[in-house]
Amino acid sequence: MEKTSVSWLPGMGPFQFLADPFGLWKDNLLYVFVETYDYRNRHGIIEVFTYDTSFRLLERKLALSEPWHLSYPYVFEADGEIWMMPEAYHSGKLTLYRAVSFPDVWEAASVIDLGPDVAVDATPFFHDGLWWLFYTPAAKPPKPVGELCLAFAEHLKGPWKRHPANPVRLDSASTRPGGTPMVMKGQLMLPVQDCSWTYGGAIRPLWFETLTAERVVTHAGAKIKIPAPFAPYTEGMHTLSSVGPVTLLDVKRTELSARGLSIEIIRETKKLLRKTF
């Protein structure tokens, strides 16, 4: 069995985490886009880490920031351009960004119209002559059971049509997108998050036995095990994305501190006071 090497992203700042890695190779450099989240303001931005072919870190910089929270920076190439579709449901819309100067200058190129749905972790993928969009619809309060919805289009910018069978799958263990789709032995596979007992608990492969504009048939595989050498980051897996010969994983552990708990107490107290008055 071939030995697999593991490289880690740089350490995080205080009261922060890095999540949702997606990558793209360009000119023999690997660009890894991540959400950087700060617990102090509960706001996420997108950063990009640049690596050479020996996985030596060359640069770290801000890629995208908006007044609203950003995460899940799904980055891909299509139609001779580089695109990013980050998770941004707090904005109330799903925005497709185009790289003006890769990797850190982006412009809003299109807003994807999904009717009443505001998409969470939207994941586009071109397959069998159509663009497909996998997403979980946002809901407040959150629905007790997870939903997977689909939309499809002939062109990336649309118009997009929601699938008539939506939601195509109901299951908190295998519906929320969690990485890059891929075709394996002729069958499409979408990494999905298992949130049945905790958020970011595990990743499962979701296989599409049938995927047409009229019909969808799926089945979920077993949870992907976190390799032992990843300890102490063994509490869960949140994202699995493929970029050429590299697989990017988002694994986690929980650290508690008195300062961190005080930040949460202050925030929750302010929220309670706003509701009271």
Side-chain angles (χ1 to χ4, degrees):
M1 183 175 179
E2 184 179 352
K3 185 177 180 181
T4 301
S5 62
V6 177
S7 298
W8 295 93
L9 290 176
M12 299 162 283
F15 314 115
Q16 290 184 339
F17 66 71
L18 304 179
D20 296 338
F22 288 93
L24 189 143
W25 286 96
K26 183 176 174 59
D27 300 327
N28 287 320
L29 296 176
L30 174 61
Y31 296 88
V32 179
F33 293 81
V34 301
E35 169 201 357
T36 299
Y37 181 87
D38 195 313
Y39 282 101
R40 290 163 292 193
N41 57 22
R42 288 198 170 183
H43 187 80
I45 60 173
I46 305 304
E47 289 191 288
V48 58
F49 297 82
T50 306
Y51 292 88
D52 63 17
T53 54
S54 298
F55 304 112
R56 180 171 60 95
L57 179 62
L58 303 178
E59 189 176 32
R60 173 182 183 173
K61 63 168 61 176
L62 174 68
L64 183 64
S65 178
E66 295 283 17
W68 49 83
H69 171 77
L70 296 172
S71 61
Y72 201 80
Y74 188 93
V75 61
F76 60 103
E77 291 186 275
D79 302 329
E81 304 274 9
I82 300 178
W83 310 88
M84 186 197 301
M85 188 178 288
E87 148 60 26
Y89 86 91
H90 287 292
S91 70
K93 57 189 177 182
L94 178 61
T95 302
L96 174 68
Y97 292 82
R98 184 183 71 88
V100 177
S101 178
F102 186 83
D104 61 334
V105 181
W106 300 82
E107 67 175 6
S110 177
V111 173
I112 306 300
D113 183 7
L114 297 174
D117 289 346
V118 177
V120 173
D121 292 346
T123 305
F125 189 70
F126 190 77
H127 180 63
D128 281 351
L130 286 173
W131 279 99
W132 294 93
L133 188 69
F134 309 90
Y135 66 94
T136 293
K140 288 188 176 182
K143 295 182 180 180
V145 178
E147 296 183 358
L148 175 64
C149 291
L150 301 185
F152 55 90
E154 293 184 3
H155 306 284
L156 178 59
K157 293 185 179 180
W160 289 84
K161 182 177 180 181
R162 288 181 296 151
H163 202 284
N166 280 346
V168 300
R169 188 174 179 86
L170 297 169
D171 180 9
S172 297
S174 57
T175 50
R176 183 167 174 168
T180 53
M182 62 188 73
V183 177
M184 303 174 68
K185 296 182 179 180
Q187 194 169 84
L188 180 65
M189 186 278 288
L190 172 70
V192 288
Q193 302 176 41
D194 186 340
C195 299
S196 57
W197 78 97
T198 184
Y199 179 63
I203 289 288
R204 295 176 182 269
L206 181 65
W207 300 95
F208 287 78
E209 300 168 24
T210 302
L211 179 60
T212 69
E214 298 78 29
R215 187 166 179 260
V216 179
V217 178
T218 61
H219 75 272
K223 291 185 291 187
I224 297 174
K225 295 182 179 180
I226 300 175
F230 283 24
Y233 297 93
T234 56
E235 292 183 24
M237 185 187 298
H238 183 62
T239 313
L240 186 154
S241 59
S242 174
V243 50
V246 175
T247 300
L248 302 172
L249 300 176
D250 174 354
V251 290
K252 70 175 184 177
R253 68 172 176 175
T254 302
E255 291 185 357
L256 298 177
S257 69
R259 174 59 177 154
L261 291 173
S262 69
I263 291 173
E264 291 298 313
I265 292 171
I266 292 170
R267 179 181 293 113
E268 293 303 316
T269 301
K270 289 181 177 178
K271 287 169 58 177
L272 181 61
L273 290 174
R274 284 196 295 269
K275 290 180 181 179
T276 303
F277 297 101

